[in-house]
Amino acid sequence: MSILIDQHSKIVVCGITGQMGRFHTQKCLAYGSQIIAGVNPDKGGTFLECNATKIPIFYTVEEAREATGANVALIFVPPAFATDSIFECIEAEIPLVIVITEGIPVHDMVRVKARLARSSTRLIGPNSPGVLCPGKCDASIMPTQVALPGRVGIISKSGTLTYEAMWQLSQHGIGQSTCVGIGGDPITGMSHSDIVKLLSEDPETDAIVMIGEIGGLSEVQAAEYVFKHGSKPLVAFIAGSSAPKAKRMGHAGAMITGNSDTAAAKIAALRDYHIPVAELPSQIAQTLFTVYRP
């Protein structure tokens, strides 16, 4: 078992005919993922040939779901049109929507968030590297070659640090159950807490690595949940210790706006909840080994 996706997931790719959509569709297919449909409002009724597979393209997400039973949507649509694509997925009742698109305006995500609250759809992203269940399913832009099937879950705001954590664990023979990049924008779908809860309930996950950064309080809320309800070891790394105040850094959501969302304040709060925190990215695996050995 894994969380969010598995080898049975049926994935529809929105924006499949664009450069990014086509490239990563080929990568996911090569990993064994079931990419069963694509969506392009101008190319419905045609097919896209990828890795010797002919993928049908539909005008809308609803048509794709009715024809194929798709239950996961992977979105590569440009930011100006991505919101409409997300709304289409919600209206089509796609259970899980993973938004890779970067640069969606904040006010558009406010509308998405309000609509999500009235639906049964879960959303990962935007500005997400996706979700990877090593050995089972790739619905991501992650480098699968550094992943190893196993029993440690990873959740992160940062794509690059997700890959770093995967690589460190794999180098020590520690595999991953599910790797989730929630995205670094100010407003995202699922939070650290949401994913930590799912990993905590997953019988095939033994421990959790949580990677956060400055801005917001998502990591602290997840730590509070683990302190009160968690039964599995969790370690963390918080990026941005040297970030200047009020200056936006890399990710759209990475900006210190007050004293509580600095790296120092988050690290202190996590340690108050008895969460071991790595001081450097290179110490993520070492820190995990202080509380977990397979």
Side-chain angles (χ1 to χ4, degrees), residues 23-35:
F23 177 84
H24 289 290
T25 293
Q26 291 173 334
K27 166 183 163 289
C28 294
L29 276 172
Y31 199 75
S33 304
Q34 294 191 61
I35 308 288

Side-chain angles (χ1 to χ4, degrees), residues 83-128:
T83 310
D84 289 340
S85 187
I86 295 171
F87 282 135
E88 257 200 72
C89 293
I90 296 172
E91 294 301 326
E93 299 183 348
I94 298 286
L96 178 67
V97 180
I98 301 169
V99 186
I100 306 296
T101 304
E102 181 178 358
I104 297 177
V106 172
H107 64 269
D108 283 355
M109 280 308 300
V110 170
R111 293 167 50 221
V112 168
K113 198 78 174 174
R115 182 65 187 86
L116 280 172
R118 304 192 302 274
S119 78
S120 58
T121 294
R122 286 170 163 165
L123 186 135
I124 299 289
N127 192 10
S128 162

Side-chain angles (χ1 to χ4, degrees), residues 29-87:
L29 276 172
Y31 199 75
S33 304
Q34 294 191 61
I35 308 288
I36 44 81
V39 173
N40 183 316
D42 298 322
K43 298 182 179 178
T46 64
F47 291 84
L48 181 72
E49 290 200 21
C50 277
N51 302 359
T53 301
K54 288 183 72 172
I55 301 171
I57 298 176
F58 297 86
Y59 290 106
T60 67
V61 175
E62 185 174 6
E63 288 179 1
R65 177 157 201 202
E66 287 179 355
T68 66
N71 54 16
V72 176
L74 193 55
I75 294 183
F76 290 97
V77 176
F81 310 104
T83 310
D84 289 340
S85 187
I86 295 171
F87 282 135

Side-chain angles (χ1 to χ4, degrees), residues 234-283:
L234 181 147
V235 300
F237 172 72
I238 303 296
S241 294
S242 58
K245 202 167 183 177
K247 182 175 177 61
R248 195 176 298 284
M249 309 293 293
H251 284 170
M255 183 172 73
I256 298 169
T257 55
N259 292 328
S260 61
D261 58 356
T262 64
K266 286 192 179 186
I267 291 169
L270 264 56
R271 288 178 172 157
D272 284 345
Y273 288 124
H274 303 164
I275 304 293
V277 182
E279 294 187 0
L280 297 170
S282 59
Q283 296 174 351

Side-chain angles (χ1 to χ4, degrees), residues 114-244:
R115 182 65 187 86
L116 280 172
R118 304 192 302 274
S119 78
S120 58
T121 294
R122 286 170 163 165
L123 186 135
I124 299 289
N127 192 10
S128 162
V131 182
L132 172 67
C133 294
K136 294 180 180 176
C137 184
D138 176 20
S140 78
I141 58 172
M142 298 185 194
T144 54
Q145 65 271 26
V146 302
L148 184 71
R151 302 182 66 88
V152 174
I154 298 176
I155 167 178
S156 174
K157 277 184 178 176
S158 162
T160 308
L161 288 174
T162 307
Y163 318 153
E164 170 68 24
M166 290 160 56
W167 180 81
Q168 283 186 34
L169 297 183
S170 296
Q171 289 296 300
H172 288 86
I174 307 298
Q176 303 91 52
S177 55
T178 311
C179 306
V180 184
I182 61 171
D185 280 7
I187 298 178
T188 59
M190 298 187 78
S191 66
H192 280 99
S193 296
D194 296 326
I195 305 300
V196 163
K197 288 175 186 174
L198 293 179
L199 290 171
S200 297
E201 294 165 358
D202 176 23
E204 294 189 2
T205 295
D206 292 338
I208 303 168
V209 173
M210 178 174 72
I211 299 171
E213 60 188 18
I214 57 174
L217 293 172
S218 176
E219 301 87 344
V220 177
Q221 291 164 348
E224 182 180 10
Y225 172 83
V226 170
F227 180 74
K228 292 180 176 176
H229 309 288
S231 57
K232 298 176 181 178
L234 181 147
V235 300
F237 172 72
I238 303 296
S241 294
S242 58

